[in-house]
Amino acid sequence: MSQRARTCFFAAIFAVAALANQAIAYDGTVKKDVFTMPSYTTVNGKTIKNVRVGYETYGTLNAAKDNVILVCHFFTGNSHAAGKYKPEDAAPGYWDAIIGSGKAIDTDKYFVISSDNLVNVNTRDPNVTTTGPATINSDTGKPYGMSFPVVGIRDFVNVQKALLDSLGIKKLHAVAGASNGGIQSVEWSAAYPDVVERVVAVIAPGLEINAYGIEMLNMWSTPIVTDPKWNNGDYYGREEPMEGVAQSVKLVILSASGFGGLDKRYGRKWAADDKDPGAALSNVYAIEDGTYKAAAARAKTIDANHFLYTARANQLFSVAAEAKKIKAKFLFVPASSDQFFPPSMVRRWAEVLRAQGNSVDVFEIEGDGGHYDGLFQVSKASTAIRDFLAR
Amino acid sequence: MSQRARTCFFAAIFAVAALANQAIAYDGTVKKDVFTMPSYTTVNGKTIKNVRVGYETYGTLNAAKDNVILVCHFFTGNSHAAGKYKPEDAAPGYWDAIIGSGKAIDTDKYFVISSDNLVNVNTRDPNVTTTGPATINSDTGKPYGMSFPVVGIRDFVNVQKALLDSLGIKKLHAVAGASNGGIQSVEWSAAYPDVVERVVAVIAPGLEINAYGIEMLNMWSTPIVTDPKWNNGDYYGREEPMEGVAQSVKLVILSASGFGGLDKRYGRKWAADDKDPGAALSNVYAIEDGTYKAAAARAKTIDANHFLYTARANQLFSVAAEAKKIKAKFLFVPASSDQFFPPSMVRRWAEVLRAQGNSVDVFEIEGDGGHYDGLFQVSKASTAIRDFLAR
């Protein structure tokens, strides 16, 4: 081969390599896939046929299939954790600040996979695929409604495990998530201790939901079950309990918001300048109006029964009795102004894990946004997460 | 007079004095009085005829009428702050731990007066006298319902002021109260700066309710207004929205409880040993069942509209713009685990008052009972309150 031919040959090789690299590297554009199981049997022994959940991936699975980070979603969230479906999308996935090329969860190194949960609340979001009470039961041709079996966080995890198995993935470099996603991450470490090497649990409670958390979830669910249109969960094909769902979401927003953030945003302003709340009971403050409207808009994609089932799954969360099985290293990321799962709660569980020999780091996000800081201020934990994943 | 006659004379004098003393000293037995105003005009210019509120007193008013401590009640409370109506009463008034002979608010020194508020929620409690939406409007012969004017904390205070005027009381050694009672105490200091010498504000927010507090009160009210039986407040003489009231009270209980206290009481126990919440959505945890039952029992004496009006009065609370008028000395008593009005919020307002020259002490009740620690653990602040009142 002449010098010139050799030059061309290597140039061509490099070009192909670059092209291949470009084809497989994550550039922020994502698409949704769907994973299907012909049948899944719950922890409580109930069988659900034809389970389908959506998922997204960012980055490239390496040959050893050992560069995988599973990301689990929060209560009202879904698998859209990063990137955009189309460049013109209004916003990227919820954790885009820390998932991507060169970011804390670096898609140049890691293959990130994020799935919709069983009973995901957003049944009317076209980008969500889930299975739950709103799903047609193939045995009856009608939605399951309340005949859908109760599922727990362990069931969410078991379906994710089946998804990973289908991709030939046997090890997780890490499982990560915020809130209910953090809860799933911790559940993973107890359910599959030999699979999970690291847990990044952001704004999560620790090893269980306590009594207060159980009651908070009851509080969130109550507006749905007291809405006459809920009709014991039998509302498919008729008017749905959308007012109940809106009121439930309003409670979620309040629980997840921080004192300081709400004060800055709304203060004591009235909803309308000419409607003094001191003059009539129907005149309200800006925060009452704003929070309700935000909740009602958010409620549009949410199925009432899926909300109740997701709440129950969270109430059921406890791996405290299985702590001894857990082998993973932990990074807990509480938010300083989180009133739902305050840093003090997380630190208590961190001590339990340390006392039994687990490596546990705690990095606290400072802010006044409450629980939401685990979503909107997560970039403050970038270095802590990056360093933890490299250890 | 013979020696014997003199002895008899003095013995008789002492006997009479002892008898008189016994008659006027507070021995823990109380009776309810009622104060009536032929007409009261609200801050917003609405006139309410024949305003009636109940009140209790403990101790003896001195000749100078300058040993008076006014005690204001909390949201779901009433004027029964201390003592018992009958020895066989199950429990004394809510602050009996600090009001009485030799106690922090020492009835051997002070004349304590405690009144029911306007729109007190407990219209069906035979020991409560109040005026609000459930009261018969003498112009129509029917309950006011939503035609009752919106009242604010300033209106509560103005009616208390009229009560004190009727007793010839021109100075308050102190105004004290827990939660909404603490809010009224602070309002007093701005409304009547030359009357109020000291404020003891227990588990109160400071100089105003913030956006978060406004929304919490909205959250408490929502189960009532979304109960179809509420019927825009027009339910007198028909079935009342008792389920809504119960759900509202459930939210009050959760807001006012502390993480730790609820954990100790309920933990993750099920409501029934044979009803696994993992097996059916209708099976619940002990905290869900216990809190609901407590709320439903408490709701029996509560009028739905009075609850809404009391919530609005609290939303309206702000004396931040009047801070400069305030002359009183302050003792703030936040509770360490109070999530509603956390110590950090109180300390911020304490700094505002100190910066303008007011004397402000802050004593924090340590505990895990949340907001409720200002009621049930108030004896922890006994020395702080006693010393503050003596200064």
Side-chain angles (χ1 to χ4, degrees):
Chain A
M1 210 188 286
S2 72
Q3 176 65 30
R4 175 160 183 171
R6 268 215 306 274
T7 303
C8 281
F9 174 76
F10 284 112
I13 289 271
F14 289 144
V16 167
L19 203 66
N21 225 16
Q22 197 172 32
I24 55 175
Y26 169 68
D27 66 353
T29 307
V30 295
K31 71 178 191 66
K32 193 80 83 174
D33 289 305
V34 172
F35 168 66
T36 302
M37 293 177 81
S39 170
Y40 169 69
T41 301
T42 70
V43 170
N44 260 354
K46 310 282 186 187
T47 299
I48 311 167
K49 290 185 201 164
N50 192 32
V51 167
R52 299 175 76 242
V53 292
Y55 70 99
E56 301 184 0
T57 66
Y58 326 108
T60 308
L61 184 59
N62 65 12
K65 298 191 174 184
D66 64 359
N67 69 332
V68 181
I69 296 180
L70 176 70
V71 172
C72 309
H73 71 69
F74 54 97
F75 195 101
T76 57
N78 62 60
S79 58
H80 193 34
K84 293 184 170 189
Y85 301 121
K86 303 181 298 291
E88 61 269 29
D89 286 355
Y94 64 90
W95 257 11
D96 195 74
I98 55 165
I99 301 173
S101 173
K103 296 179 184 174
I105 299 178
D106 189 347
T107 51
D108 297 342
K109 288 187 194 168
Y110 304 115
F111 177 66
V112 180
I113 179 162
S114 171
S115 92
D116 294 327
N117 289 335
L118 280 175
V119 302
N120 181 295
V121 301
N122 303 288
T123 57
R124 276 184 284 269
D125 180 335
N127 288 314
V128 169
T129 301
T130 187
T131 305
T135 304
I136 301 292
N137 178 349
S138 58
D139 290 344
T140 65
K142 291 179 186 164
Y144 283 97
M146 302 300 279
S147 76
F148 196 81
V150 171
V151 289
I153 302 296
R154 185 66 52 103
D155 294 304
F156 292 8
V157 163
N158 287 346
V159 172
Q160 291 161 353
K161 176 69 164 57
L163 162 60
L164 296 179
D165 286 345
S166 77
L167 301 172
I169 295 164
K170 300 290 174 203
K171 276 278 178 194
L172 287 171
H173 186 80
V175 192
S179 196
N180 186 5
I183 284 171
Q184 291 167 65
S185 305
V186 174
E187 183 89 37
W188 256 100
S189 73
Y192 300 102
D194 294 321
V195 174
V196 179
E197 293 172 340
R198 290 168 196 80
V199 169
V200 180
V202 178
I203 52 167
L207 299 193
E208 69 181 17
I209 288 268
N210 66 0
Y212 190 92
I214 290 171
E215 185 63 14
M216 284 280 272
L217 289 153
N218 169 300
M219 175 181 103
W220 291 2
S221 298
T222 297
I224 291 173
V225 300
T226 55
D227 183 333
K229 291 183 182 134
W230 178 61
N231 192 33
N232 285 312
D234 183 12
Y235 53 77
Y236 298 108
R238 59 178 93 179
E239 206 182 342
E240 301 208 1
M242 295 314 295
E243 175 62 19
V245 175
Q247 295 293 355
S248 289
V249 173
K250 191 179 81 175
L251 296 178
V252 175
I253 292 173
L254 185 62
S255 301
S257 297
F259 273 61
L262 289 176
D263 273 355
K264 275 185 212 154
R265 180 160 178 195
Y266 294 107
R268 293 186 46 83
K269 281 198 296 283
W270 302 346
D273 286 346
D274 59 344
K275 294 198 168 163
D276 175 4
L281 217 63
S282 53
N283 297 345
V284 298
Y285 286 92
I287 189 171
E288 301 180 86
D289 185 54
T291 308
Y292 177 74
K293 283 180 178 158
R298 187 68 193 74
K300 290 198 173 102
T301 62
I302 295 179
D303 177 78
N305 287 337
H306 278 235
F307 187 102
L308 300 180
Y309 274 72
T310 297
R312 174 53 56 87
N314 278 276
Q315 288 181 318
L316 290 167
F317 171 62
S318 175
V319 295
E322 298 174 87
K324 290 267 181 292
K325 292 164 55 181
I326 297 172
K327 297 178 182 174
K329 295 176 196 168
F330 279 77
L331 172 62
F332 284 112
V333 184
S336 65
S337 57
D338 186 353
Q339 296 176 86
F340 201 5
F341 302 138
S344 59
M345 180 189 288
V346 173
R347 289 180 192 279
R348 212 164 54 237
W349 285 113
E351 283 312 310
V352 170
L353 285 165
R354 275 185 198 130
Q356 68 175 34
N358 293 75
S359 161
V360 184
D361 291 341
V362 179
F363 177 86
E364 194 168 321
I365 297 175
E366 294 289 337
D368 62 8
H371 192 65
Y372 280 136
D373 277 350
L375 296 177
F376 305 128
Q377 300 297 322
V378 72
S379 63
K380 290 183 180 173
S382 284
T383 303
I385 294 171
R386 184 194 308 272
D387 292 352
F388 174 73
L389 293 175
R391 254 182 284 143
Chain B
M1 210 188 286
S2 72
Q3 177 64 31
R4 173 156 188 179
R6 270 214 305 274
T7 303
C8 282
F9 175 78
F10 284 112
I13 291 270
F14 289 144
V16 168
L19 201 68
N21 223 18
Q22 198 172 30
I24 55 174
Y26 169 67
D27 65 353
T29 307
V30 295
K31 71 178 192 64
K32 193 81 84 174
D33 288 305
V34 173
F35 168 65
T36 303
M37 292 176 81
S39 170
Y40 169 70
T41 302
T42 70
V43 170
N44 259 355
K46 309 283 185 186
T47 299
I48 311 166
K49 290 184 200 164
N50 193 32
V51 167
R52 298 175 77 242
V53 292
Y55 70 99
E56 301 184 0
T57 66
Y58 326 108
T60 308
L61 183 61
N62 65 13
K65 298 191 174 184
D66 65 358
N67 69 330
V68 181
I69 296 181
L70 177 70
V71 172
C72 309
H73 71 68
F74 54 98
F75 195 102
T76 57
N78 63 60
S79 58
H80 193 33
K84 292 184 170 189
Y85 302 121
K86 303 181 299 293
E88 60 270 29
D89 285 355
Y94 64 91
W95 257 11
D96 195 75
I98 56 165
I99 301 174
S101 174
K103 295 179 184 174
I105 298 178
D106 190 347
T107 51
D108 297 342
K109 287 187 196 169
Y110 304 115
F111 177 66
V112 180
I113 180 162
S114 171
S115 91
D116 295 328
N117 290 334
L118 280 175
V119 303
N120 180 294
V121 302
N122 303 287
T123 57
R124 275 184 285 270
D125 181 334
N127 289 314
V128 170
T129 302
T130 188
T131 305
T135 304
I136 301 293
N137 179 349
S138 57
D139 290 344
T140 65
K142 291 178 187 164
Y144 283 97
M146 302 299 278
S147 75
F148 195 81
V150 171
V151 289
I153 303 295
R154 185 66 53 103
D155 294 305
F156 292 8
V157 163
N158 287 346
V159 172
Q160 291 161 354
K161 176 70 163 56
L163 162 60
L164 296 179
D165 286 346
S166 77
L167 301 173
I169 295 164
K170 300 291 174 203
K171 276 277 177 193
L172 287 172
H173 186 79
V175 192
S179 196
N180 185 5
I183 284 171
Q184 292 168 65
S185 306
V186 174
E187 183 90 38
W188 256 100
S189 73
Y192 300 103
D194 295 321
V195 174
V196 179
E197 294 172 339
R198 292 169 194 80
V199 168
V200 181
V202 179
I203 53 168
L207 299 192
E208 69 181 17
I209 288 269
N210 66 0
Y212 189 92
I214 290 171
E215 185 62 15
M216 284 280 272
L217 288 154
N218 170 300
M219 173 182 106
W220 292 2
S221 298
T222 297
I224 290 173
V225 300
T226 55
D227 184 333
K229 292 185 182 132
W230 178 62
N231 191 33
N232 285 311
D234 184 13
Y235 54 76
Y236 299 108
R238 58 178 93 178
E239 206 182 343
E240 301 208 1
M242 295 314 294
E243 176 63 18
V245 175
Q247 295 293 353
S248 289
V249 173
K250 191 178 83 176
L251 296 178
V252 174
I253 292 173
L254 185 63
S255 301
S257 298
F259 273 61
L262 289 176
D263 273 355
K264 274 186 212 153
R265 181 159 177 193
Y266 293 108
R268 292 185 47 82
K269 282 198 295 285
W270 301 346
D273 286 345
D274 59 345
K275 294 197 167 164
D276 175 3
L281 217 63
S282 53
N283 297 344
V284 298
Y285 286 92
I287 190 171
E288 300 181 86
D289 185 55
T291 308
Y292 177 74
K293 283 180 178 157
R298 187 67 193 75
K300 290 199 173 101
T301 61
I302 295 178
D303 177 79
N305 287 337
H306 279 234
F307 187 103
L308 300 180
Y309 274 72
T310 296
R312 173 54 56 86
N314 279 276
Q315 288 180 320
L316 290 166
F317 171 62
S318 176
V319 295
E322 299 173 87
K324 289 268 181 291
K325 291 164 56 182
I326 297 173
K327 298 177 179 175
K329 296 177 194 166
F330 279 76
L331 172 62
F332 283 113
V333 184
S336 63
S337 57
D338 186 354
Q339 297 176 85
F340 200 4
F341 303 138
S344 59
M345 179 189 289
V346 174
R347 289 180 191 278
R348 213 164 52 236
W349 285 112
E351 282 313 310
V352 170
L353 285 165
R354 275 184 197 129
Q356 67 174 35
N358 293 75
S359 161
V360 184
D361 291 341
V362 179
F363 177 86
E364 195 168 320
I365 297 175
E366 295 288 337
D368 61 9
H371 192 65
Y372 279 137
D373 277 350
L375 296 178
F376 305 128
Q377 301 297 324
V378 72
S379 64
K380 290 182 179 172
S382 283
T383 303
I385 294 170
R386 184 194 307 272
D387 292 352
F388 175 74
L389 293 176
R391 256 184 281 143

